[in-house]
Amino acid sequence: MLYAILATDAEGSLERRLQARPAHLARLEQLRDAGRLVLAGPHPAIDAGDPGPAGFSGSLIIAEFDSQDSARDWADSDPYVAAGVFSGVTVKPFKKVLP
């Protein structure tokens, strides 16, 4: 089943995000290579593709997991969590309708 992982960035976490990004992307690439990743990306803090020093307000990942618990475990093990980038993470079932 698909799950949406909705994460909110902590205030002032841009530098930690940049430092942890390679490890974060490596985990996403593993999901992609396994054919389980639907989409992933950050939410710019301002209305711009490159928010610069304004940074990001969070991230969205939609991927396939065996259960909500396994999705939660995966999310809790993210390098952004360990680095203190995310102040909160919500994991919800997701039903893809389109496209």
Side-chain angles (χ1 to χ4, degrees):
M1 178 159 185
L2 295 178
Y3 294 89
I5 299 170
L6 302 154
T8 303
D9 280 20
E11 287 291 321
S13 64
L14 180 59
E15 194 58 40
R16 292 188 303 269
R17 175 184 269 273
L18 295 174
Q19 290 174 357
R21 188 170 189 262
H24 171 76
L25 290 178
R27 291 183 82 234
L28 290 170
E29 289 165 354
Q30 289 174 347
L31 282 179
R32 179 200 61 206
D33 293 348
R36 297 172 43 204
L37 182 63
V38 175
L39 65 86
H43 300 285
I46 60 173
D47 190 11
D50 179 0
F56 300 91
S57 62
S59 296
L60 170 64
I61 299 165
I62 299 177
E64 183 179 347
F65 293 93
D66 292 333
S67 67
Q68 190 165 359
D69 286 341
S70 65
R72 166 56 67 188
D73 290 344
W74 187 90
D76 288 346
S77 299
D78 193 282
Y80 281 175
V81 172
V85 174
F86 294 154
S87 63
V89 178
T90 301
V91 177
K92 300 187 206 190
F94 181 81
K95 182 179 177 182
K96 182 178 176 183
V97 175
L98 293 171

